Amino acid sequence: MRVASPVSPDGLAEFRGLVLARGAELYRDLPWRRTRDPYEIWLSEVMLQQTQTTRVDGRWQRWLSRFPTVGALAAASPADVLDEWQGLGYNRRALALHRAAGELVAGGGALPADARALQALPGVGPATAAGILAFAFDQHAVYLETNVRAVFLHELFPGEGAVSDRELLPLVDVTCPADASDPADDPRTWYYALLDYGAYLKRTVPNPSRRSSGHTRQSRFEGSHRQKRAAALRVLLAHREEAAGGPTLEAISAELASEEEKSGRSPLSAPEVRALLDELAAEGFCRLVGDAWCV
């Protein structure tokens, strides 16, 4: 069953009934759905950005064992935070989490239940803020992420291409329950249904998100600039407890050359490695102390 767009009030009611039914049928009992702790939900939302659910399950629990509270995260060193993040990709997310935790502790330690205040934190955009509001506080929120987008495109815009988020956002807004007065149809339940139905659609039909005007294919990781940045950071973290504080440019270049050669790629030159390290340093990942590069 599909509902035509533009969507009538009756069509939206039909759409909501369909999504709730599919959500109940396809519900995934994920560990971060068993909590309402804002910190734990915030962490899951950040980890799930551009990372598969199967990779996050396990890593989320391990992170919370190491940094169980906002205060524990704020008190940790950036090196320990980055070390725990390894393998999840997009290391900027870890640094943003750490910086945001520091700001929260300075302001009292609790995540705010307000979209504007949440988005003022490092690394928290509209979707992450909406996820925290819906899943931790059961508030009405406009939560548009890839699986949610897939459902709206599949059901309300069948066969249409180049559909913009500007067209989708009002529909996401109007279909989200106003509050948690109905425990069978509150914001939390509604968005879980959308997420699970969207994940199902992506496995069973051509990805509806490709019909979004903002859709871009993720670039190849191996051999990319992102891969080389990640490799350099791994080298820095592996040597972070050395007496000198970290490896020299020459040592880093040698380790990166060995890794690139094993993968059948040409090694970076020393100037290229230095440029990579300078880039990471400018973003707060490392610093040069004497001849040593330290995290």
Side-chain angles (χ1 to χ4, degrees), residues 188-211:
R188 182 177 165 107
T189 302
W190 171 243
Y191 282 122
Y192 285 160
L194 282 166
L195 289 169
D196 293 344
Y197 185 27
Y200 168 80
L201 288 173
K202 287 186 172 183
R203 295 193 307 270
T204 56
V205 300
N207 185 359
S209 294
R210 293 174 185 167
R211 295 190 286 104

Side-chain angles (χ1 to χ4, degrees), residues 58-74:
R59 295 300 302 272
W60 179 80
Q61 297 93 317
R62 197 175 88 179
W63 178 286
L64 289 172
S65 294
R66 189 168 182 179
F67 313 119
T69 64
V70 172
L73 176 57

Side-chain angles (χ1 to χ4, degrees), residues 26-163:
L26 300 165
Y27 182 76
R28 296 174 293 171
D29 184 22
L30 300 168
W32 43 88
R33 295 186 177 183
R34 303 173 203 154
T35 181
R36 289 182 181 269
D37 182 283
Y39 167 59
E40 295 178 1
I41 288 170
W42 170 38
L43 174 64
S44 72
E45 286 298 303
V46 175
M47 284 188 168
L48 288 163
Q49 295 167 9
Q50 298 174 296
T51 305
Q52 293 180 341
T53 303
T54 51
R55 289 177 63 197
V56 173
D57 192 358
R59 295 300 302 272
W60 179 80
Q61 297 93 317
R62 197 175 88 179
W63 178 286
L64 289 172
S65 294
R66 189 168 182 179
F67 313 119
T69 64
V70 172
L73 176 57
S77 69
D80 284 344
V81 171
L82 287 166
D83 176 63
E84 188 57 44
W85 192 266
Q86 291 307 288
L88 288 170
Y90 297 96
N91 291 297
R92 290 188 186 92
R93 291 182 292 170
L95 282 187
L97 271 169
H98 189 237
R99 290 168 182 154
E103 290 187 14
L104 287 169
V105 167
L111 265 86
D114 174 79
R116 183 173 295 181
L118 284 168
Q119 290 183 55
L121 295 169
V124 178
T128 301
I132 295 168
L133 292 176
F135 302 132
F137 300 110
D138 228 334
Q139 289 187 18
H140 174 92
V142 183
Y143 182 59
L144 183 57
E145 61 83 64
T146 180
N147 285 344
V148 172
R149 185 181 289 107
V151 175
F152 278 86
L153 289 169
H154 179 74
E155 294 293 344
L156 303 184
F157 295 85
E160 295 188 36
V163 181

